[in-house]
Amino acid sequence: MDIVIIVLKIIFGGFFSYAGIMHIIKPNIFKHFIPDIFPKKMVNYSIGLIELVLGLGVFFPQTQKIAALGIIFLLIFLLPIHIWDVTKKRPAIGSKIIAIVRIPFQFVLIYGAYLIYINT
């Protein structure tokens, strides 16, 4: 199990750090995920910064547990956005099928972060 957790930490650290950086350097990719009632740039950069910090936090033993917990909360917080995206005529990224697949994938990511949390 130890090797699985190490691999999960590398995957989650890399994935969330990369996603955070992409929010910052390519914000237009994510703008369609954000409902029009919110200030798109502020939300996009904020989520990007949070993802980057949490992703980097997974790499350091002192912050792994809190970073994993933060990832769990972030994924739960963002789940309604993915559900909303499915209801749109044209999803933010990809096809309707990809938008639908992203919802159960959120739960897989939550479980992975939970495994990191309980094994750190």
Side-chain angles (χ1 to χ4, degrees), residues 34-87:
I34 304 165
D36 292 333
I37 61 170
F38 297 110
K40 291 188 182 263
K41 282 187 179 183
M42 187 191 75
V43 169
N44 188 52
Y45 290 134
S46 298
I47 295 296
L49 185 61
I50 291 167
E51 286 179 340
L52 179 59
V53 168
L54 293 174
L56 291 174
V58 172
F59 289 121
F60 300 99
Q62 304 89 336
T63 57
Q64 285 174 347
K65 196 167 192 85
I66 192 73
L69 189 61
I71 289 171
I72 292 168
F73 286 133
L74 180 66
L75 291 170
I76 292 169
F77 177 75
L78 295 177
L79 185 60
I81 294 294
H82 291 283
I83 294 169
W84 171 70
D85 196 42
V86 169
T87 67

